Amino acid sequence: MKYVILGGVAAGTKAAAKLKRCDRTADVKVYTKGTDISYAGCGLPYYIGGDIPNREGLIVNTPKRYSGLTGAEVFTGFEATGIDSASKTVSLKNGSGEAFTEAYDKLIIATGAVPFVPYVEGRELPGVFCVRTPDDAVATRAYIDEHKCQKAVVCGAGFIGLEVAENLMAQGLQVTVIDAAPQIMPNAFDEEMADYAKKQLRLAGMRILTSTSLTGIEGNGKAKKVVTDNGAFDADMVILAIGVRPATGFLADSGLEMFKGTILVDEHLQTNLPDIYAVGDCAMVKNAITGQGQWSAMGSTANLAARAMAKSINGEGTGYKGCLGTGVVRLLPTLNAGRTGLTEVQAKAAGYASTSVICVLDDKAHYYPDASSFIIKLTAETTTGKLLGLQVFGAGAVDKMTDIAVVGISQGMGLSDFDTLDFAYAPPFSTAIHPFVTACYILENKLDGLFDTISPSDYTKGAAKGYTVLDVQPAASIPNARWIDLSTVNGPLDGLDKDAKLLLVCAKGKRGYFLQNRLKAFGYTNTKVLEGGAFFNEVKVPRDGRKLSAEEIKRVKGLGCLQDKRYGDVFNVRVITRNGKLTTDEQIKIAEAAEKFGSGEITMTTRLTLEIQGVNYDKLEPLFAFLKEAGLETGGTGSKVRPVVSCKGTTCQYGLIDTFALSEKLHELYYTGYHDVSLPHKFKIAVGGCPNNCVKPDLNDLGIIGQRQPEIDLSKCKGCKICKVQNSCPIKVAELTDGKLRIAQEKCNHCGRCIEQCPFGAVTEAMTGYKVYIGGRWGKKVAEGRALGRLFTSEEEVIGVVERAILFFRDEGISGERFADTIARLGFDYVQDKLLNSKLDKKQILEKNVVGGATC
């Protein structure tokens, strides 16, 4: 028997090898267009990313080695141009264009598929790649290295496109993925599952644009921009992963029965023409569930079908029963995806009355170090519970979950058939009840009416409108929802009628189910659990509270209450500290206040104040009274002097001054003492103990920095070859010049670390004191303050110049401008003269009417 096989990658080589094993006397010839055979097409993205280090790793077999192993003859570089079924010949041509014919007893067409390249301008520019052969992958990686590519656009958000995108990101590129379909991985996952994956990819830094079609590629000599109907995107390289088409163009006049370019075959992979078979990406097989035709351009399908075909030709086996569309893909290092069978949409399109559920389950014992979650969607026939399909995401072994479903679907198993299956368990591998079994339990409960839910898809379409959302998580986490402590629910819920429409939302779904079970027992008739919980869904609850006026919001803001924009009538309340200092009793009081009036959480601000989180408007006044009992007050907002901050001062090895003592004096004098004095804008003060600038005094409206000025006695300088003073200078402005030590005074920051370092006493302290900076600020318009032109030698002098700066700003500042703006408008020299030399009429300035412009 003479077999001629057209195509030498997955299906062709598998068929040839099995034919020779079934009949060693068979004459098997494989003709393939490329130079490589039996290569790892699915590994190409991982060569691009570097997981597969060299091209050889992609080649499963060379023609010579393959022929030696199997006995089949392989001819590379030969392209089939036609077939004649009547004469049982194939027309071929070699790389030189020489044509000839080859006779066969049986012909196997395994020509596979070719990348679909849309007819757009620029598609042939250097830097535009498909990913179909090892040469494609090698050229892509080489181009990245040679051209130092920074940005890539991947056209196509199917498995291959997303695999390539992930591997390009692994190479450090910024990646944009576009797809004309309204979702990623179309036809493989239902929309809500695809949207979850898209969100995770975006969080990882991948830009994804769906419903976006490629219209052109631009570049002068090489690709530089991708043009779409949704805008243009810069690209140093472009990957076309839009899809593949069956490589069957040469068969147009062959008489073969075809559909959309695929060759129609029966379960033995036989075509409508005698002794001609087709297998792999060029053939249309059947779906094992529906029996309908399905194109399965997968390496797994090609290998399985080719082996079954070879056995059938030799009178063995029962043929190929069909595919399930099984696939698995790594989307990110921490996100894998798997699927098999029918999606919910496909099941309904095939005429099944089906039910689906989405659940989030532990992938192994939750206490095990690398435990994560599976996000599972199961679909089953509603009346029988027969398993129809699975979709799964997770950081772990999604292939294992998928393979269990493959077996179940292939054997016609129902959900309950899995209930007591003895799957493997140990904490590093699984949960005591396997997560697949748990998913079946959940869908069984839904089918039996024990688990009433709203699906994520229906939730996004507004199915929860009119429902009261109950947050069933261990701690309150959903803004505007009513939190329910599950452990305390032993009867009806206060304020909720038993016929109220209640949506129960927990982290993943389990606690919602537990609460629903209890509430049903207490007579509640209209509860729903949101499938997948807050883990899978973006839960938003409309605010039902009163709408506060702008004037009232401004008033309470002046009391240190910052509105949480998510709620409208909930605030974070700032509690003033003494430069971060609090007594033990005060700490306890604030913690009690957070529990009693807020969410129980406290945060620290950059200004060394504490914020009690989540205080409802109605609880603000009781909170103020509660704090006042301990001598605590709120504030730190508005167009006023803000709480003073400082560094560690003398508790730091470099500290030159007691910053705590000075900052507390300034705080008492000008935060507390000037508390009712409005300024044109907020006025921030910071005290630093040395020029290390840890609290960034020069980025405050007024900053104070401790100073020690060195003085050199040249008569004591010995010009040592290794100068300890020079070595001790952190900013390297001390150096030996002509055998004598010099310190560049205009560059010296007066940190004092050089003082007394000289063993001969050449460097001593000339003066200690304070440098004062004015006009600094953080935020939208960062400005570095400038130092006043004198060194202040006492706290009294510093306290005095601080007050003059505040008064000057109140007197000559304009409403809405920061002190930096005032200085820029009037000029630094003018302001410095006013602060150092002029007398300000304090009484008159404080009597002025000043309107502040601070918004926070």
Side-chain angles (χ1 to χ4, degrees):
M1 182 73 68
K2 181 180 179 181
Y3 298 94
V4 172
I5 300 174
L6 304 180
V9 187
T13 54
K14 175 58 71 174
K18 188 61 179 175
L19 287 169
K20 288 294 290 184
R21 288 197 294 272
C22 290
D23 180 5
R24 293 303 300 173
T25 67
D27 179 10
V28 180
K29 292 185 176 182
V30 179
Y31 289 93
T32 188
K33 185 177 179 180
T35 57
D36 294 306
I37 68 162
S38 193
Y39 59 78
C42 298
L44 302 182
Y46 302 98
Y47 174 87
I48 293 172
D51 286 354
I52 298 173
N54 51 56
R55 188 183 190 279
E56 289 68 30
L58 297 171
I59 308 303
V60 178
N61 264 315
T62 64
K64 182 178 180 180
R65 188 165 65 223
Y66 175 82
S67 293
L69 286 170
T70 66
E73 294 183 85
V74 178
F75 303 90
T76 61
F78 287 84
E79 180 180 0
T81 58
I83 66 172
D84 185 339
S85 60
S87 64
K88 300 186 77 170
T89 59
V90 178
S91 298
L92 297 140
K93 66 178 180 180
N94 61 21
S96 301
E98 298 173 355
F100 66 99
T101 60
E102 179 76 70
Y104 64 82
D105 293 322
K106 292 187 184 294
L107 174 66
I108 297 170
I109 303 170
T111 47
V114 293
F116 171 66
V117 179
Y119 191 78
V120 296
E121 187 175 350
R123 66 192 183 281
E124 296 180 352
L125 281 170
V128 180
F129 299 91
C130 295
V131 182
R132 187 65 180 173
T133 69
D135 288 343
D136 293 334
V138 170
T140 301
R141 196 164 91 182
Y143 192 88
I144 293 171
D145 295 339
E146 181 182 349
H147 294 271
K148 303 294 188 290
C149 295
Q150 299 294 317
K151 295 181 179 180
V153 172
V154 177
C155 304
F159 280 18
I160 295 297
L162 294 175
E163 284 177 324
V164 172
E166 186 230 343
N167 280 281
L168 290 173
M169 287 179 61
Q171 290 279 37
L173 277 73
Q174 298 177 39
V175 179
T176 299
V177 178
I178 66 171
D179 199 294
Q183 67 170 72
I184 66 172
M185 299 182 289
N187 303 317
F189 289 86
D190 284 315
E191 184 178 9
E192 74 271 31
M193 293 291 281
D195 285 347
Y196 173 84
K198 181 167 71 171
K199 182 167 67 174
Q200 303 308 309
L201 291 169
R202 283 177 168 170
L203 289 172
M206 190 183 297
R207 186 180 188 185
I208 299 179
L209 298 162
T210 49
S211 300
T212 300
S213 298
L214 174 68
T215 59
I217 301 170
E218 296 179 354
N220 185 14
K222 60 182 179 180
K224 293 303 293 181
K225 184 172 290 187
V226 169
V227 183
T228 76
D229 59 358
N230 192 22
F233 308 97
D234 293 336
D236 299 318
M237 65 179 305
V238 182
I239 302 293
L240 298 179
I242 297 172
V244 293
R245 299 291 184 266
T248 56
F250 72 102
L251 299 172
D253 299 321
S254 64
L256 285 169
E257 188 177 355
M258 304 175 75
F259 177 75
K260 292 185 177 180
T262 61
I263 304 167
L264 300 182
V265 296
D266 62 16
E267 65 181 22
H268 300 289
L269 288 303
Q270 190 163 5
T271 70
N272 64 305
L273 298 179
D275 295 320
I276 298 179
Y277 299 79
V279 66
D281 293 359
C282 62
M284 173 75 77
V285 294
K286 288 181 171 56
N287 183 283
I289 302 175
T290 67
Q292 300 299 308
Q294 181 165 327
W295 187 37
S296 180
M298 301 285 288
S300 52
T301 302
N303 278 277
L304 292 168
R307 185 178 186 278
M309 176 195 67
K311 290 181 67 177
S312 288
I313 290 173
N314 283 276
E316 302 174 11
T318 57
Y320 181 69
K321 301 301 183 182
C323 68
L324 292 175
T326 305
V328 65
V329 60
R330 189 181 80 185
L331 299 174
L332 293 168
T334 56
L335 182 65
N336 304 314
R339 59 93 59 216
T340 192
L342 303 178
T343 65
E344 182 179 12
V345 170
Q346 290 166 347
K348 289 177 179 176
Y352 285 95
S354 63
T355 302
S356 299
V357 74
I358 287 177
C359 45
V360 182
L361 303 171
D362 294 337
D363 66 350
K364 55 180 66 70
H366 69 274
Y367 52 81
Y368 199 76
D370 64 343
S372 185
S373 297
F374 285 134
I375 300 94
I376 303 163
K377 182 170 184 178
L378 275 187
T379 300
E381 194 171 23
T382 303
T383 53
T384 65
K386 180 180 177 182
L387 183 62
L388 296 176
L390 167 118
Q391 302 161 59
V392 58
F393 295 123
V398 300
D399 58 324
K400 181 177 173 183
M401 296 287 288
T402 305
D403 289 343
I404 293 173
V406 168
V407 173
I409 295 170
S410 299
Q411 298 302 310
M413 295 172 68
L415 298 171
S416 61
D417 292 328
F418 292 94
D419 284 1
T420 58
L421 290 188
D422 192 12
F423 288 117
Y425 163 64
F429 301 100
S430 184
T431 50
I433 297 179
H434 196 280
F436 188 92
V437 175
T438 302
C440 290
Y441 290 165
I442 294 170
L443 186 48
E444 286 178 64
N445 285 341
K446 183 174 179 178
L447 289 171
D448 293 341
L450 301 175
F451 185 43
D452 296 315
T453 71
I454 291 179
S455 71
S457 177
D458 288 340
Y459 179 73
T460 59
K461 295 173 184 174
K465 186 177 181 180
Y467 279 77
T468 297
V469 177
L470 302 184
D471 182 356
V472 201
Q473 297 179 80
S477 303
I478 303 174
N480 301 319
R482 176 175 171 180
W483 180 62
I484 301 297
D485 184 351
L486 179 64
S487 64
T488 65
V489 178
N490 296 306
L493 300 175
D494 292 339
L496 292 174
D497 295 334
K498 292 186 177 180
D499 60 353
K501 297 168 72 174
L502 304 176
L503 180 64
L504 316 181
V505 183
C506 62
K508 297 180 179 180
K510 180 192 280 188
R511 294 171 68 90
Y513 169 61
F514 288 170
L515 178 60
Q516 184 178 68
N517 181 267
R518 293 189 194 186
L519 292 180
K520 284 183 177 181
F522 299 140
Y524 285 83
T525 60
N526 202 350
T527 63
K528 299 286 185 182
V529 176
L530 181 59
E531 294 177 14
F535 185 99
F536 189 86
N537 302 274
E538 186 176 354
V539 182
K540 293 183 178 180
V541 181
R543 182 177 64 84
D544 295 327
R546 77 187 68 97
K547 184 174 181 179
L548 301 175
S549 67
E551 292 76 14
E552 180 61 7
I553 292 173
K554 183 177 180 180
R555 183 189 74 83
V556 296
K557 183 185 292 183
L559 299 174
C561 308
L562 304 177
Q563 184 188 26
D564 188 325
K565 303 299 188 300
R566 298 174 297 171
Y567 302 88
D569 57 354
V570 175
F571 296 82
N572 296 340
V573 181
R574 287 184 179 174
V575 182
I576 303 304
T577 69
R578 296 174 300 281
N579 192 32
K581 281 187 178 180
L582 289 169
T583 66
T584 303
D585 289 340
E586 288 170 338
Q587 292 271 20
I588 293 171
K589 195 73 172 181
I590 293 172
E592 290 176 349
E595 287 286 346
K596 188 177 181 69
F597 302 102
S599 68
E601 295 180 317
I602 302 168
T603 59
M604 176 72 78
T605 74
T606 58
R607 302 299 297 180
L608 301 182
T609 60
L610 295 175
E611 280 190 7
I612 296 174
Q613 304 289 292
V615 181
N616 191 276
Y617 174 78
D618 293 332
K619 295 182 178 180
L620 291 179
E621 292 301 330
L623 171 64
F624 298 153
F626 185 82
L627 292 172
K628 193 172 182 180
E629 293 173 3
L632 295 165
E633 61 176 341
T634 64
T637 59
S639 299
K640 300 177 180 181
V641 176
R642 295 298 177 85
V644 182
V645 299
S646 79
C647 68
K648 294 162 60 177
T650 52
T651 61
C652 170
Q653 61 176 320
Y654 304 121
L656 308 179
I657 60 172
D658 187 350
T659 55
F660 277 120
L662 178 56
S663 64
E664 286 191 24
K665 290 177 183 177
L666 293 171
H667 180 90
E668 185 66 27
L669 287 167
Y670 303 123
Y671 173 73
T672 303
Y674 275 43
H675 194 64
D676 296 325
V677 177
S678 292
L679 301 175
H681 211 292
K682 56 191 168 189
F683 193 90
K684 295 182 177 180
I685 302 170
V687 184
C690 78
N692 278 350
N693 231 9
C694 294
V695 293
K696 305 294 186 291
D698 60 338
L699 292 181
N700 284 259
D701 296 279
L702 188 143
I704 302 157
I705 299 178
Q707 302 279 286
R708 291 183 74 190
Q709 289 188 352
E711 182 176 336
I712 301 174
D713 185 345
L714 292 179
S715 67
K716 295 180 179 179
C717 176
K718 306 299 184 183
C720 303
K721 288 184 179 181
I722 299 177
C723 177
K724 290 188 176 181
V725 174
Q726 182 178 359
N727 289 343
S728 67
C729 179
I731 60 173
K732 307 304 179 186
V733 298
E735 57 183 15
L736 290 174
T737 303
D738 298 328
K740 291 294 183 180
L741 180 66
R742 298 285 191 275
I743 296 177
Q745 291 300 320
E746 70 281 2
K747 297 179 181 178
C748 179
N749 66 3
H750 304 150
C751 67
R753 282 194 242 173
C754 64
I755 294 171
E756 298 179 355
Q757 290 297 316
C758 175
F760 305 106
V763 180
T764 57
E765 184 174 87
M767 188 180 296
T768 184
Y770 311 82
K771 185 182 288 187
V772 175
Y773 289 81
I774 61 171
R777 70 175 176 199
W778 302 355
K780 290 177 288 186
K781 295 170 62 178
V782 176
E784 189 172 352
R786 287 181 61 182
L788 295 176
R790 60 162 289 192
L791 190 70
F792 297 87
T793 57
S794 69
E795 283 190 355
E796 289 72 22
E797 287 183 324
V798 172
I799 290 169
V801 78
V802 171
E803 183 173 42
R804 285 195 296 276
I806 296 168
L807 293 172
F808 172 82
F809 183 40
R810 190 171 202 273
D811 188 32
E812 300 204 31
I814 298 173
S815 178
E817 71 177 7
R818 291 291 296 272
F819 193 30
D821 300 321
T822 304
I823 295 169
R825 176 171 54 83
L826 298 175
F828 177 81
D829 291 340
Y830 171 82
V831 177
Q832 177 174 244
D833 182 62
K834 283 283 189 177
L835 298 186
L836 297 183
N837 304 316
S838 300
K839 289 186 178 181
L840 301 175
D841 191 331
K842 178 177 176 180
K843 183 174 182 297
Q844 180 184 4
I845 293 172
L846 292 177
E847 288 175 351
K848 286 183 64 174
N849 182 33
V850 174
V851 177
T855 57
C856 62

